[in-house]
Amino acid sequence: MRDRRKRNVVSWSALFWCTFFLLLLSYLLFTSSRFFSPDTFHPELVHTLPTPLNKALSDDSSLHFRSSLQETVTLPDQALVFLNHPQTVRPFAKEDINCLYFPANSSVPHSWRPPIDVDGEEHLRKQMVRCPLPPPGFTVSIRVRSNAQLQGGHSHRWDLLVYEALVDRDNSTVVFVKGLGLRPERVSNASKFECVYGWDFRKIKYVLRSNVMSIAQEIARCTTPRSVLSNPNRTHDSVKVSIRVKGGGTLNSIARPLLSPGLRTPDRKPHEMCICTMLRNQAQFLKEWVIYHAHIGVRRWFVYDNNSDDDIEDVIASIFSVKHNISRHIWPWIKTQEAGFAHCALRARDSCKWVGFIDVDEFFYLPSGLSLLDVLRNQAKNVSVGEIRVSCHSFGPSGLTQMPPQGVTVGYTCRKATAERHKSIVNPEVLNSTLINVVHHFHLRDGFHYMNLERSEMVINHYKYQVWEVFKEKFYRRVATYVADWQEDQNAGSKDRAPGLGTKAVEPEDWSSRFCEVNDTGLRDVVLQNLTNRRTHLLPWQEEHRRGRRRSRKKKGKHKG
Ligand SMILES: *[C@@H]1O[C@H](CO)[C@@H](O)[C@H](O)[C@H]1NC(C)=O
Ligand SMILES: *[C@@H]1O[C@H](CO)[C@@H](O)[C@H](O)[C@H]1NC(C)=O
Ligand SMILES: *[C@@H]1O[C@H](CO)[C@@H](O)[C@H](O)[C@H]1NC(C)=O
Ligand SMILES: *[C@@H]1O[C@H](CO)[C@@H](O)[C@H](O)[C@H]1NC(C)=O
Ligand SMILES: *[C@@H]1O[C@H](CO)[C@@H](O)[C@H](O)[C@H]1NC(C)=O
Ligand SMILES: *[C@@H]1O[C@H](CO)[C@@H](O)[C@H](O)[C@H]1NC(C)=O
Ligand SMILES: *[C@@H]1O[C@H](CO)[C@@H](O)[C@H](O)[C@H]1NC(C)=O
Ligand SMILES: *[C@@H]1O[C@H](CO)[C@@H](O)[C@H](O)[C@H]1NC(C)=O
Ligand SMILES: *[C@@H]1O[C@H](CO)[C@@H](O)[C@H](O)[C@H]1NC(C)=O
Ligand SMILES: *[C@@H]1O[C@H](CO)[C@@H](O)[C@H](O)[C@H]1NC(C)=O
């Protein structure tokens, strides 16, 4: 099985070049210790390391594992173990799995713990086990109940990794890379890099090489080798892709180039307006945000979930309907906002004419009374408009001290006077192939421009400084030591911080009256007038909230019982 697949991919010329390269490399090893230009980065030189062939991997009795165990990526606060499922294996439940901890160089586990969570995207037959962080010097692996111990997954650092890849319409592979340290917002020199395809990048003779078409920020575009394209099954245990620095090392990779089911050009796009968002532990705000935006014409929501541990899956299940077509996508990667947006734009491209990139505390508001779709159609009359920029109004706590029961759009009505930066709505067909985006703006193809919308036509109400109980969560995330919050755009800098708060998360006495310069009840009035249930006098998210809660409690009980 495996051998056949390899033959599929490795051509004779590739083998020749690999051998040649191997010789060259060993020569270089002896003559130089500097493989990397010092101003770029220092990845591990994976294919020159000894390859201790793992027992589990060569043992036929563990065939099952070979196909289901994948690699481990250690994040600062947890370890992720990725599993791929053969078509025949059902997804594992949390109860099926233990996280095992191994001392260095030992194949005997020292201890085990239950996983934090098991997560997955069923259609990709991919599962992810979240394990508590291993102690320093230990590695983590998992054991599936009723099966032998699963060892042999490679352990990777999250900040030096090729973590995601997909095959685009033109058959190029879009590769998401962490750790190259390339300059922001610039096209880098593609000829300094190379794409490699294979199963194990430490075994140089089994990799296929191809050229990098473009590389910028943290995304590379590779020419996909024909043999990879013709591999009929691109999901389970398919070939991986990585990036090599010419004259340097190959990055570790867990990325298998998927041909997303949605990457075909449909005759007609089903949705005029979609939204991509990235969030963490904000499930409680989703209902109002989705129902309101459905009311103004949004038809599809893509939620990139960055390691939430609230009830987001239950909440999404309770919102989901024909009218509220919302899906959750696992995106555990750190400091990857731009990459996540690009990934989402590609995902949305086949079904959406326009894609907005906003957070769940941001709401499009149309003071003019025009509908969102009218505004988009007006802009689209000029075919060279590829991006529409919308200003944001930042709302303060508006005198409140507790979360408003009718939701943020009704509760918060006082804001700062000046608008802060823009968010954008883009036509995903006209993105520049580099997929560069900075502070919510994409680079477009030559010949396309952006338009700034007048605030009187459309604006974003950003409920940025909510009651302290809510704001402090955001604040804690922001002062986390290991990395800045993704929502805190590097380029927006200090504007995004709450002025005068320093680093102590203690409620200032006058918090509830801060950031209040202008009373703005426009959106509140529209919401109350158009969305209140005449009989119950409740807003849809208030009713839904109750029903949803009951359902989610019932579901939970079933799981545990
Ligand atoms: C593990 O093995 C490698 C080589 O086999 C050795 O260099 C390393 O020091 C060992 N580590 C420990 C903690 O024993
Ligand atoms: C992409 O590859 C497939 C399979 O090799 C081929 O049928 C198709 O024509 C290619 N498309 C483009 C745009 O090159
Ligand atoms: C790109 O890199 C290659 C190889 O390092 C070099 O020959 C070429 O001049 C560079 N091109 C630019 C535009 O810097
Ligand atoms: C590809 O997947 C299909 C099921 O989706 C399976 O029937 C077929 O045997 C697989 N082919 C290979 C070569 O693995
Ligand atoms: C949701 O949207 C996707 C396209 O993005 C479509 O394929 C799917 O059928 C939609 N689901 C519902 C329930 O409308
Ligand atoms: C995801 O959350 C972590 C905190 O667990 C944060 O450090 C990281 O920057 C976030 N990543 C993105 C892309 O938002
Ligand atoms: C479309 O918009 C661009 C950029 O604002 C402008 O230069 C161009 O004249 C517009 N075209 C038409 C037909 O209005
Ligand atoms: C993408 O942007 C670059 C500049 O960043 C430009 O040189 C290139 O022509 C653009 N690509 C397309 C297809 O327009
Ligand atoms: C907002 O309106 C309230 C009364 O409804 C008033 O007391 C307050 O001063 C107004 N605030 C501003 C900034 O205009
Ligand atoms: C909502 O209410 C406003 C008045 O507040 C009204 O002008 C508008 O037509 C209503 N309908 C929609 C779909 O917003």
Side-chain angles (χ1 to χ4, degrees):
M1 254 296 272
R2 252 186 122 67
D3 288 337
R4 198 178 59 227
R5 265 199 317 263
K6 276 170 189 161
R7 258 205 311 277
N8 247 353
V9 167
V10 181
S11 71
W12 285 111
S13 74
L15 267 179
F16 167 78
W17 283 109
C18 291
T19 315
F20 170 71
F21 180 67
L22 201 65
L23 289 171
L24 184 72
L25 206 81
S26 15
Y27 167 74
L28 283 174
L29 250 185
F30 278 104
T31 53
S32 167
S33 56
R34 275 185 59 212
F35 284 95
F36 311 103
S37 39
D39 55 329
T40 51
F41 80 123
H42 303 267
E44 293 157 60
L45 198 62
V46 286
H47 53 226
T48 58
L49 294 176
T51 4
L53 247 192
N54 198 289
K55 271 196 217 106
L57 286 178
S58 54
D59 178 1
D60 266 349
S61 67
S62 59
L63 191 72
H64 167 71
F65 287 143
R66 191 162 71 189
S67 52
S68 58
L69 178 66
Q70 295 253 308
E71 291 101 328
T72 302
V73 178
T74 312
L75 300 185
D77 59 351
Q78 58 188 300
L80 308 176
V81 182
F82 290 86
L83 309 172
N84 257 12
H85 287 291
Q87 236 77 25
T88 50
V89 175
R90 68 170 173 84
F92 299 118
K94 188 178 169 185
E95 293 75 21
D96 293 338
I97 289 176
N98 285 330
C99 299
L100 300 182
Y101 298 90
F102 297 85
N105 294 348
S106 166
S107 58
V108 182
H110 169 269
S111 56
W112 66 272
R113 290 174 73 181
I116 301 167
D117 197 6
V118 174
D119 208 338
E121 289 184 44
E122 182 62 20
H123 65 286
L124 299 179
R125 310 208 56 89
K126 192 156 106 176
Q127 260 196 311
M128 186 177 86
V129 182
R130 299 175 188 278
C131 287
L133 213 54
F138 280 64
T139 60
V140 64
S141 188
I142 61 159
R143 173 171 55 199
V144 179
R145 193 188 288 178
S146 83
N147 262 313
Q149 160 186 320
L150 268 180
Q151 218 199 326
H154 299 302
S155 233
H156 307 301
R157 289 169 52 180
W158 66 269
D159 56 350
L160 207 58
L161 183 70
V162 174
Y163 59 91
E164 201 74 58
L166 44 85
V167 177
D168 203 354
R169 275 182 198 156
D170 63 355
N171 281 343
S172 63
T173 312
V174 180
V175 182
F176 296 81
V177 195
K178 199 74 208 164
L180 286 178
L182 303 176
R183 285 193 302 169
E185 214 173 350
R186 288 282 194 296
V187 181
S188 296
N189 187 345
S191 59
K192 291 190 168 151
F193 303 91
E194 188 173 54
C195 306
V196 292
Y197 293 78
W199 282 277
D200 185 347
F201 301 115
R202 299 187 293 188
K203 295 183 211 151
I204 185 87
K205 51 183 175 161
Y206 289 135
V207 305
L208 254 191
R209 296 152 64 189
S210 75
N211 74 308
V212 175
M213 300 160 69
S214 70
I215 185 163
Q217 297 188 160
E218 300 192 317
I219 298 179
R221 206 178 263 278
C222 298
T223 305
T224 315
R226 198 129 25 110
S227 50
V228 173
L229 277 176
S230 57
N231 177 359
N233 291 347
R234 286 214 198 79
T235 52
H236 161 65
D237 203 21
S238 56
V239 69
K240 292 197 292 191
V241 61
S242 187
I243 298 292
R244 193 180 76 85
V245 183
K246 282 188 186 163
T250 302
L251 284 165
N252 285 325
S253 171
I254 61 163
R256 294 164 198 275
L258 278 179
L259 180 68
S260 294
L263 285 177
R264 295 259 161 260
T265 324
D267 304 337
R268 212 184 61 83
K269 300 198 176 192
H271 314 302
E272 202 142 355
M273 172 73 185
C274 306
I275 291 180
C276 286
T277 197
M278 201 179 284
L279 57 70
R280 180 164 199 258
N281 290 348
Q282 284 165 304
Q284 58 174 325
F285 301 110
L286 271 181
K287 250 172 202 147
E288 177 183 9
W289 185 74
V290 169
I291 293 171
Y292 168 76
H293 283 108
H295 172 74
I296 64 164
V298 176
R299 288 293 169 261
R300 182 77 171 88
W301 294 260
F302 300 91
V303 174
Y304 277 51
D305 181 9
N306 175 27
N307 302 323
S308 290
D309 53 15
D310 55 7
D311 284 342
I312 186 161
E313 281 172 280
D314 290 341
V315 171
I316 285 180
S318 73
I319 300 173
F320 183 86
S321 66
V322 175
K323 239 183 111 192
H324 304 135
N325 190 345
I326 172 172
S327 55
R328 168 176 172 268
H329 309 280
I330 299 172
W331 195 261
W333 315 113
I334 289 174
K335 269 183 159 180
T336 49
Q337 182 191 20
E338 284 87 1
F341 282 179
H343 194 271
C344 192
L346 288 180
R347 194 191 289 267
R349 187 179 56 191
D350 283 351
S351 52
C352 308
K353 270 192 194 151
W354 294 98
V355 185
F357 295 86
I358 58 173
D359 298 329
V360 294
D361 57 0
E362 296 178 322
F363 291 69
F364 289 115
Y365 165 47
L366 297 113
S368 60
L370 278 176
S371 87
L372 174 65
L373 300 188
D374 285 339
V375 169
L376 295 176
R377 283 171 200 147
N378 279 341
Q379 296 299 324
K381 279 181 193 152
N382 184 335
V383 291
S384 74
V385 171
E387 179 178 284
I388 296 165
R389 297 188 175 178
V390 190
S391 318
C392 300
H393 280 151
S394 301
F395 281 71
S398 309
L400 302 183
T401 51
Q402 283 178 355
M403 284 173 69
Q406 290 177 292
V408 297
T409 52
V410 173
Y412 300 109
T413 54
C414 198
R415 61 168 171 85
K416 290 165 78 173
T418 51
E420 267 181 28
R421 59 181 183 163
H422 304 88
K423 287 295 174 84
S424 56
I425 301 174
V426 304
N427 172 356
E429 294 293 342
V430 304
L431 302 182
N432 190 291
S433 63
T434 56
L435 297 174
I436 292 179
N437 64 94
V438 177
V439 204
H440 312 281
H441 300 147
F442 276 89
H443 281 198
L444 302 178
R445 276 181 6 214
D446 297 336
F448 291 90
H449 327 256
Y450 68 85
M451 280 295 297
N452 283 320
L453 275 188
E454 289 298 325
R455 277 194 269 168
S456 58
E457 199 169 0
M458 178 151 91
V459 70
I460 287 171
N461 278 11
H462 182 190
Y463 300 103
K464 182 172 177 180
Y465 308 109
Q466 300 189 21
V467 295
W468 183 254
E469 180 195 343
V470 175
F471 184 80
K472 73 169 190 228
E473 295 303 323
K474 197 169 170 182
F475 188 80
Y476 281 136
R477 280 207 304 276
R478 212 156 261 176
V479 295
T481 48
Y482 59 83
V483 67
D485 191 278
W486 75 277
Q487 297 177 11
E488 180 183 59
D489 302 306
Q490 285 157 9
N491 301 34
S494 56
K495 249 200 259 170
D496 222 35
R497 294 183 179 277
L501 273 186
T503 52
K504 284 209 197 78
V506 176
E507 177 169 6
E509 253 174 54
D510 60 342
W511 180 254
S512 71
S513 61
R514 285 198 184 185
F515 315 107
C516 178
E517 293 163 11
V518 178
N519 280 321
D520 179 346
T521 57
L523 182 53
R524 179 189 71 178
D525 297 342
V526 168
V527 164
L528 288 176
Q529 199 154 339
N530 290 299
L531 287 165
T532 306
N533 181 313
R534 295 237 176 89
R535 195 174 46 80
T536 62
H537 304 289
L538 292 175
L539 290 162
W541 41 90
Q542 292 180 279
E543 302 176 57
E544 289 278 324
H545 196 60
R546 289 190 189 162
R547 243 186 293 140
R549 266 231 184 109
R550 220 165 33 231
R551 200 178 321 164
S552 103
R553 240 198 330 265
K554 234 167 39 204
K555 217 170 126 197
K556 277 231 137 89
K558 230 170 29 208
H559 275 314
K560 298 212 165 100

